[in-house]
Amino acid sequence: MGTPNQLLNGGQILANALIRQGAELGFGVPGESFLPLLNGLVDHPKFQFVTCRQEGGAAYMAEAYAKLTGKPGIVMVTRGPGASNAMIGIHTAYQDSTPMVLLVGQVGTDMVEREAFQEIDYRRMYSECAKWVGSIDRVDRIDEFVSHAFHVAQAGRKGPVVLALPEDVLYMMGSEHPVAAAHIVQPGLDQEAFLQAMSHFSAAKNPMMIAGGGNWSKVPCDHLKKWANREGLPVATSFRSQDLIDNLDPCFAGDLGIGANPALVKRIKEADVLLVIGERLGEMTTAGYSILTPPQIKAKLIHVLSGPEELGRVYRPDFAINCSPDHFCKALTEISMGGQYDRQAMTTAHTEYLTFSAPVTVPGDLQLAQIMSSLKELIPRNAIVTNGAGNFATWVHRFYPYGDMRTQLAPANGSMGYGLPAAIAAKLVHPDRVVIAVCGDGDFMMNCQELATAARYGAYPIILVVNNSMLGTIRMHQEREFKSRVIATELTNPDFIKFADSFGIPAFRVSKTEEFAAAFSEAMASNQGALIELVQDQEVISPSKLLSQLGQ
């Protein structure tokens, strides 16, 4: 850190400001546009800069880091191309409500608006997927802008912010104006509105709850689980928020999203009062807004969100409560329900979930459902399971029961390539925990270069690559909508075994179910992770339909 009245360059001031915010780990690809910042970080040997192989992978890692730690993920990328590559992780963080701070190089203030080398207007570029975009145009305001960024990222509905770093400002000399770490500002509970809403929920004959979104921590999850079990209430989770409730807990009713349990969908539709905590009720959770029809659903809707701008945006709630899950779930523990509803509903809903998640048999030698289901006996309940996007994810979501909070890392925006970078970040944060990345072949190849990052930092997950040599989700939709008129979905893949071996990572090819246990046992015993290729027949496109049956 600098001393009072000592002149430092902008990069050093910025580095010191990040450390004051509690920054310990950052992800990125070094660029010449922010060299003074890198130089400033040399003075902070406890700060680790994780050098990634592409900015998209770096942004994914930062997003996963933020989910696991509750701290804003920090990404550092160069201007223009670097900023463009990082966009995918920023969009993921925005839709997942994950706090992130993107530091991106920019042309000097004397060159702005000339379309200088790699110049982009970041305010226009990121306007749809960042909570705030700022540009530090004065060296004497660096501390102020950093404080602002960390406050915004963690306030209300959390999310990503972007700070542009004009190159000349990073080289300018100036004095520090130290600012303490940002407050985490979350809305409290309107007690009168809460009691009024809960009086209706307590009187319901068919009450139902949905929990989801990104503003959770372990404490409110535990409060919600304890209260639901005490009162005999089933809890469903939203798309890719399955780990808010341990899936083997008696109150867990299943998750909403792609291929949701029809019995759970029926429960949601038949609810007379629906309590939704933290979840925006987006397209994926509501099956294209069909499970719940906007703008006014049939049931009474109690909608609890940290971001006031989301209340009433799509669904008009009967009770709109701007409150964080922390405050709301703590208050729930003081509420006793009435006797209007069937207290066996919780047990029945959980049984329906267990029945739906029991392995199904499909044609072929490889039974993915059985493999995913078997993981619960092979790994600890605190293991972290990550995935990107594709039909392969349906198998893990449906047949693997996730453990407690933050045992699932998956992108709510359905972004391919997330699983591997997220798993690497998870091993950096929790090197002692089992981390498994479940990837499709197309999904894996989006960021397979990050195996080099895993090797460099010794952050080795176990990677399951479901290989059917095609972009299965798109092929499924092609067959469904335009029978047999197929284009652009066949893939040519590398030899995944040789590819992993080139990084010193043990690898196994599994084409029959009975081969998996031995391969996974070796993977668990390895100190360099492993890659297991699961060779899947193209005909087996989902747990419920064969490819040839689509469009019939």
Side-chain angles (χ1 to χ4, degrees):
M1 298 286 185
T3 57
N5 302 317
Q6 179 185 3
L7 289 180
L8 303 172
N9 67 37
Q12 292 171 304
I13 296 172
L14 178 55
N16 292 346
L18 292 173
I19 299 303
R20 291 190 189 95
Q21 294 297 329
E24 300 170 332
L25 196 65
F27 303 87
V29 178
E32 63 186 77
S33 62
F34 61 97
L35 285 177
L37 171 57
L38 293 172
N39 174 66
L41 291 171
V42 172
D43 295 326
H44 300 285
K46 291 185 179 180
F47 179 89
Q48 184 178 19
F49 186 102
V50 178
T51 305
C52 305
R53 303 309 291 266
Q54 206 256 17
E55 291 87 357
Y60 280 148
M61 290 185 203
E63 200 273 350
Y65 167 89
K67 280 178 175 170
L68 289 169
T69 65
K71 301 177 181 179
I74 298 172
V75 196
M76 302 180 197
V77 302
T78 197
R79 63 197 186 199
S84 301
N85 286 338
M87 169 69 86
I88 190 168
I90 302 306
H91 183 260
T92 302
Y94 189 76
Q95 292 221 322
D96 274 82
S97 303
T98 305
M100 283 175 61
V101 176
L102 172 65
L103 301 165
V104 55
Q106 179 59 297
V107 301
T109 57
D110 56 336
M111 299 183 186
V112 174
E113 299 288 353
R114 291 178 175 173
E115 195 185 345
F117 182 60
Q118 300 180 332
E119 181 182 1
I120 293 179
D121 184 336
Y122 298 129
R123 288 190 175 92
R124 293 168 63 190
M125 177 179 178
Y126 290 110
S127 62
E128 289 294 309
C129 60
K131 291 187 68 179
W132 175 60
V133 183
S135 179
I136 307 178
D137 295 336
R138 291 174 57 102
V139 70
D140 59 343
R141 296 187 66 186
I142 290 175
D143 292 287
E144 173 194 341
F145 270 69
V146 171
S147 176
H148 185 186
F150 276 80
H151 275 91
V152 172
Q154 299 176 92
R157 178 187 171 188
K158 299 178 183 181
V161 300
V162 179
L163 280 181
L165 313 175
E167 193 169 3
D168 56 337
V169 175
L170 293 181
Y171 280 98
M172 287 180 187
M173 304 301 291
S175 299
E176 291 189 296
H177 303 280
V179 180
H183 299 284
I184 300 177
V185 183
Q186 288 291 310
L189 184 63
D190 182 326
Q191 194 68 22
E192 183 178 347
F194 170 72
L195 292 175
Q196 187 179 10
M198 292 311 297
S199 69
H200 284 267
F201 192 71
S202 298
K205 293 183 178 180
N206 293 300
M208 193 65 200
M209 291 191 288
I210 301 174
N215 274 41
W216 292 81
S217 62
K218 191 174 188 311
V219 171
C221 288
D222 289 343
H223 282 321
L224 177 61
K225 181 172 64 176
K226 181 179 179 181
W227 181 72
N229 277 283
R230 188 187 79 195
E231 301 297 331
L233 290 164
V235 183
T237 55
S238 65
F239 181 57
R240 292 182 171 166
S241 294
Q242 279 169 259
D243 62 342
L244 296 185
I245 301 288
D246 187 314
N247 295 182
L248 298 181
D249 189 274
C251 75
F252 183 70
D255 68 298
L256 295 164
I258 299 170
N261 185 354
L264 175 58
V265 172
K266 185 172 183 288
R267 283 187 178 276
I268 299 296
K269 287 184 174 182
E270 291 180 351
D272 56 348
V273 184
L274 183 62
L275 172 58
V276 181
I277 309 172
E279 166 58 35
R280 295 185 300 116
L281 295 176
E283 178 188 355
M284 301 305 289
T285 295
T286 61
Y289 305 101
S290 65
I291 297 174
L292 303 170
T293 305
Q296 186 98 40
I297 69 173
K298 293 180 181 178
K300 275 191 170 62
L301 175 60
I302 304 169
H303 207 171
V304 183
L305 289 172
S306 294
E309 69 281 357
E310 294 293 330
L311 288 164
R313 181 177 180 178
V314 178
Y315 294 96
R316 196 273 181 189
D318 295 273
F319 299 95
I321 299 180
N322 178 211
C323 182
S324 71
D326 299 63
H327 295 305
F328 189 87
C329 291
K330 183 178 180 181
L332 271 184
T333 62
E334 303 298 322
I335 297 293
S336 294
M337 295 288 289
Q340 302 285 337
Y341 64 99
D342 178 10
R343 285 181 174 262
Q344 288 300 309
M346 183 186 81
T347 301
T348 305
H350 186 61
T351 301
E352 289 168 350
Y353 158 72
L354 293 175
T355 300
F356 185 67
S357 61
V360 298
T361 301
V362 296
D365 294 330
L366 189 80
Q367 299 295 321
L368 267 183
Q370 185 176 327
I371 287 173
M372 296 303 170
S373 180
S374 72
L375 289 175
K376 65 180 179 290
E377 279 85 40
L378 301 175
I379 59 178
R381 292 298 291 152
N382 74 342
I384 300 168
V385 180
T386 76
N387 66 264
N391 266 31
F392 71 91
T394 303
W395 302 84
V396 64
H397 292 341
R398 177 171 170 180
F399 299 110
Y400 174 73
Y402 292 89
D404 269 332
M405 177 70 179
R406 290 309 172 224
T407 55
Q408 179 187 38
L409 293 175
N413 69 336
S415 187
M416 291 179 68
Y418 177 90
L420 177 60
I424 293 169
K427 287 299 289 186
L428 288 168
V429 174
H430 295 295
D432 56 328
R433 287 169 66 177
V434 174
V435 178
I436 299 176
V438 184
C439 310
D441 51 332
D443 173 74
F444 176 74
M445 291 295 289
M446 289 274 184
N447 273 307
C448 62
Q449 74 279 351
E450 298 303 343
L451 282 184
T453 307
R456 175 168 177 77
Y457 296 97
Y460 294 107
I462 295 172
I463 307 155
L464 306 183
V465 178
V466 181
N467 180 11
N468 62 0
S469 297
M470 68 176 179
L471 296 170
T473 303
I474 310 307
R475 175 69 180 274
M476 178 182 70
H477 291 306
Q478 285 179 342
E479 295 284 358
R480 181 181 291 152
E481 303 296 333
F482 307 102
K483 183 67 177 172
S484 299
R485 293 177 63 82
V486 176
I487 188 173
T489 50
E490 292 293 320
L491 297 176
T492 299
N493 289 318
D495 184 323
F496 290 117
I497 306 303
K498 292 180 179 178
F499 184 71
D501 182 65
S502 70
F503 293 100
I505 296 172
F508 312 88
R509 181 172 289 115
V510 171
S511 56
K512 296 180 179 179
T513 309
E514 55 267 26
E515 298 170 348
F516 178 75
F520 194 79
S521 178
E522 288 195 51
M524 287 286 285
S526 168
N527 60 5
Q528 289 184 282
L531 184 149
I532 301 176
E533 178 186 0
L534 303 172
V535 183
Q536 176 81 322
D537 191 319
Q538 290 190 346
E539 179 71 358
V540 184
I541 196 66
S542 79
S544 58
K545 283 272 192 178
L546 299 177
L547 195 64
S548 58
Q549 295 173 333
L550 298 172
Q552 293 181 359

